[in-house]
Amino acid sequence: MSPFADWIAVDWGTSNLRLWAIDAQGQVKIEQSSDQGMGRLTPDQFEPVLLGLCDGLLDPARVTPVLICGMAGARQGWAEAPYVSVPVTLSALGAGGVAPLVTSPLIAVRILPGLSQATPADVMRGEETQIAGFAALRPEFDGTLCLPGTHSKWVSLAQGTVSRFRTVMTGEMFALLSEHSVLRHSVGRDIAGDTLDEAAFIHGVRHALDAGGTAFATLFALRAESLVNATPPTALRARLSGLLIGIELAATRDFWSGQKVALIGAGALTTLYARALSELGPTPHIEDGRDLALRGLRAAYPHIFEL
Amino acid sequence: MSPFADWIAVDWGTSNLRLWAIDAQGQVKIEQSSDQGMGRLTPDQFEPVLLGLCDGLLDPARVTPVLICGMAGARQGWAEAPYVSVPVTLSALGAGGVAPLVTSPLIAVRILPGLSQATPADVMRGEETQIAGFAALRPEFDGTLCLPGTHSKWVSLAQGTVSRFRTVMTGEMFALLSEHSVLRHSVGRDIAGDTLDEAAFIHGVRHALDAGGTAFATLFALRAESLVNATPPTALRARLSGLLIGIELAATRDFWSGQKVALIGAGALTTLYARALSELGPTPHIEDGRDLALRGLRAAYPHIFEL
């Protein structure tokens, strides 16, 4: 069996990157990860980082294709891959790929584009490849995808086409409020292994849904609860989480109400979204997101390098 | 005329303090300010700071009364003055004052309490004295006070009695989002003398009111606007300000709709609130807040030290 990769897939994010060497049989030969994310690199540093991670994997007798998704294609990344505007059929994503200049004769690099939406203005970069992976796995899916995270994404997907999406900054807001606002005195720190105060979480979700537009204005009550009623930090932390996810769900009702919903993710945050959604109606299908980016890169590969 | 103060009034906040020496004719003899706010002091440091600021003002032949409002009365302050629960008649505020232990024989210190509300849970500390100052100035007032700030306060006041209030973290949220979130790349920095993009501000206010509960979920659109449409930072900064103030106004409609509204404050932020409120209906009366704390301390003084 050849010691070399047939081609290389890379999910190059802001903080980290993951790289997979694919062999001639289409199997993952080697997986690497690195903290050399886009945020730490100037444009001329991407190629050396990539070559370093590919050490021993490149056949000196041929040009090895490298397909990249994520923030490497941002304006401040390696080479800008301009957004493709929705509606987008994900199998056509590769048409928007760009080729950064490389000095090595051993690689041919393409970077996939992100998606944009004119009204309401929105963008994504990286998640579209996970979504393409999901669509490759379930081509018949007609419904909504939710990708919880620092910036949650809600996506309308039908037969492999994204018609619209919405980004909500819930995760970032939770981090800012719980670590940097006056509420930090009241909600305590996240302790690994802490059990969620589920009643307080659901109280927060329900309050946000019932309060309509006013939930955002009730955040200071968490501080007051700790001062006036000595409510414990674990309960207030769960309540804050519930309130913010509830505010997000109130604002994305048109995405999940009456729809088939698939949650893409893994871990505690995905579980919270599943718990909140189940409380409100739809029991979401949970799709482990860890390998969807690779699946999306695999799906795009033949459209780019084999045509 | 005596070189000494008849009594001393102090507004002791988290970051700063202001001190006024009042003469026997009731006039301000000397005004001092300092950055020795509660946040920087341990309990045993308050008295030396106070005595330092009173240097030369204390009559060695008598005990000089010192009346303090604000965060000096917080749990982590000089001595805790427990909150008084609404409804509260402001002229009775002094009954909740506490006397911290002092070592100097030249001063007798009282700290005024803050206000609390059981449902929805809320607290204030310092603003109640400004409100008492307003009530002393306009005893017949029946309506709503709005005190814009890091944590805005909305207060129902009638004939000197506070029946309810609500705190909204709008100012802190603006600071967190514009300085620490992903939006910081899009909204630029505040430049003194910059002219407000009023159309963008009002667009934000109106959008928040029209969007009901969903406005909070549209914040990421500001980032997308800058990436997709190259909308300039001054417009996006004004829009963010309008959105957050609009979200606050949507959530406090029961305070301002159909009510007489007085805005207490000074400067650019107060002007923004006035502009937004005027757009929606009530043209607020603006009351300069700078000396209302002193006025409130003056109003409370005879109830505490002359009874």
Side-chain angles (χ1 to χ4, degrees):
Chain A
M1 196 195 285
S2 164
F4 303 122
D6 187 52
W7 66 283
I8 307 278
V10 189
D11 179 5
W12 208 316
T14 303
S15 319
N16 298 285
L17 71 93
R18 290 174 76 198
L19 179 149
W20 299 268
I22 311 296
D23 68 19
Q25 285 69 46
Q27 302 300 308
V28 173
K29 193 180 178 66
I30 284 177
E31 179 178 341
Q32 312 249 41
S33 61
S34 156
D35 61 0
Q36 297 290 308
M38 176 278 279
R40 302 175 56 163
L41 303 177
T42 55
D44 59 322
Q45 295 175 314
F46 283 82
E47 186 180 353
V49 167
L50 177 64
L51 291 172
L53 290 167
C54 291
D55 191 33
L57 293 169
L58 302 178
D59 184 345
R62 64 184 273 269
V63 177
T64 302
V66 179
L67 184 57
I68 300 176
C69 70
M71 295 301 287
R75 196 169 301 166
Q76 64 274 46
W78 188 352
E80 185 176 8
Y83 296 107
V84 177
S85 184
V86 292
V88 169
T89 299
L90 292 165
S91 58
L93 211 54
V98 300
L101 288 176
V102 292
T103 55
S104 165
L106 298 183
I107 51 174
V109 178
R110 295 292 181 280
I111 307 178
L112 292 177
L115 302 189
S116 68
Q117 178 175 279
T119 311
D122 216 325
V123 292
M124 69 168 72
R125 199 179 275 286
E127 294 91 347
E128 75 296 325
T129 306
Q130 285 185 276
I131 298 164
F134 179 87
L137 193 67
R138 297 185 58 190
E140 81 302 341
F141 183 87
D142 184 344
T144 293
L145 302 188
C146 170
L147 294 79
T150 305
H151 299 155
S152 303
K153 304 284 181 186
W154 292 81
V155 182
S156 291
L157 174 71
Q159 282 81 46
T161 296
V162 171
S163 55
R164 62 176 188 139
F165 63 99
R166 187 173 304 156
T167 304
V168 191
M169 294 171 58
T170 305
E172 182 162 22
M173 197 64 70
F174 183 80
L176 289 173
L177 288 171
S178 64
E179 293 165 24
H180 299 289
S181 86
V182 70
L183 300 185
R184 71 186 185 280
H185 304 299
S186 307
V187 303
R189 289 177 174 283
D190 193 23
I191 297 171
D194 250 14
T195 314
L196 176 74
D197 184 334
E198 187 154 320
F201 174 74
I202 292 298
H203 179 283
V205 172
R206 288 237 162 254
H207 178 72
L209 270 288
D210 295 345
T214 71
F216 184 73
T218 68
L219 292 171
F220 187 77
L222 300 178
R223 174 80 180 134
E225 284 280 0
S226 73
L227 289 172
V228 177
N229 299 327
T231 308
T234 47
L236 293 173
R237 190 174 185 84
R239 177 108 64 94
L240 176 61
S241 175
L243 270 172
L244 294 177
I245 290 175
I247 290 170
E248 174 177 345
L249 293 176
T252 53
R253 201 186 281 273
D254 55 326
F255 278 85
W256 55 261
S257 182
Q259 299 287 312
K260 183 192 298 264
V261 177
L263 269 173
I264 295 184
L269 186 63
T270 306
T271 309
L272 286 181
Y273 275 74
R275 184 70 191 80
L277 277 165
S278 302
E279 184 75 16
L280 301 176
T283 298
H285 164 80
I286 298 182
E287 184 75 36
D288 191 319
R290 276 172 292 196
D291 291 320
L292 284 183
L294 172 58
R295 197 177 286 272
L297 288 163
R298 277 182 194 275
Y301 176 76
H303 295 279
I304 296 180
F305 284 105
E306 294 181 357
L307 284 182
Chain B
M1 197 195 287
S2 163
F4 303 123
D6 187 50
W7 65 284
I8 306 278
V10 189
D11 179 5
W12 209 316
T14 303
S15 319
N16 298 286
L17 71 94
R18 290 175 75 197
L19 178 149
W20 300 268
I22 312 296
D23 69 19
Q25 285 71 47
Q27 302 299 310
V28 173
K29 192 179 177 65
I30 284 178
E31 179 179 341
Q32 311 249 41
S33 61
S34 156
D35 61 0
Q36 297 291 307
M38 176 278 280
R40 301 176 55 163
L41 302 177
T42 54
D44 59 322
Q45 295 175 314
F46 283 82
E47 186 179 353
V49 167
L50 177 64
L51 291 172
L53 291 166
C54 291
D55 192 32
L57 292 168
L58 303 178
D59 183 346
R62 64 184 274 269
V63 176
T64 302
V66 179
L67 185 57
I68 300 176
C69 70
M71 295 301 286
R75 195 168 302 165
Q76 64 274 46
W78 189 352
E80 185 175 7
Y83 296 107
V84 177
S85 184
V86 293
V88 169
T89 300
L90 293 165
S91 57
L93 210 54
V98 299
L101 289 176
V102 293
T103 56
S104 166
L106 298 183
I107 51 174
V109 179
R110 295 292 180 281
I111 307 178
L112 292 177
L115 302 189
S116 67
Q117 178 175 277
T119 312
D122 216 326
V123 292
M124 69 168 72
R125 200 179 275 286
E127 294 91 346
E128 74 295 326
T129 305
Q130 285 185 276
I131 297 164
F134 179 86
L137 192 68
R138 297 186 57 190
E140 82 302 341
F141 183 87
D142 184 344
T144 293
L145 302 188
C146 171
L147 294 78
T150 304
H151 299 156
S152 304
K153 304 285 180 185
W154 292 79
V155 182
S156 291
L157 175 72
Q159 282 81 46
T161 296
V162 171
S163 55
R164 61 174 189 141
F165 63 99
R166 189 173 302 158
T167 305
V168 191
M169 294 171 58
T170 306
E172 182 161 22
M173 197 65 70
F174 183 81
L176 289 172
L177 289 171
S178 65
E179 293 165 24
H180 299 289
S181 85
V182 70
L183 300 184
R184 71 187 186 280
H185 304 299
S186 306
V187 302
R189 287 176 177 282
D190 192 23
I191 296 172
D194 248 15
T195 313
L196 175 75
D197 183 334
E198 187 155 321
F201 174 75
I202 292 298
H203 178 283
V205 172
R206 288 237 161 254
H207 178 71
L209 269 289
D210 295 345
T214 71
F216 184 74
T218 68
L219 291 172
F220 188 77
L222 301 177
R223 174 79 180 134
E225 284 279 1
S226 73
L227 290 171
V228 177
N229 300 328
T231 308
T234 47
L236 293 174
R237 190 173 184 84
R239 176 106 66 93
L240 176 62
S241 175
L243 270 171
L244 294 177
I245 291 175
I247 290 170
E248 175 177 344
L249 293 176
T252 53
R253 202 185 281 272
D254 53 327
F255 278 86
W256 57 259
S257 180
Q259 300 287 311
K260 183 192 298 263
V261 177
L263 269 173
I264 296 185
L269 186 63
T270 306
T271 309
L272 286 181
Y273 276 74
R275 184 70 190 80
L277 276 166
S278 302
E279 184 76 14
L280 301 176
T283 299
H285 164 80
I286 297 182
E287 184 74 36
D288 190 319
R290 277 171 293 195
D291 291 320
L292 285 184
L294 173 58
R295 196 177 286 273
L297 288 163
R298 277 183 194 275
Y301 176 74
H303 295 278
I304 295 181
F305 284 105
E306 293 181 357
L307 283 183

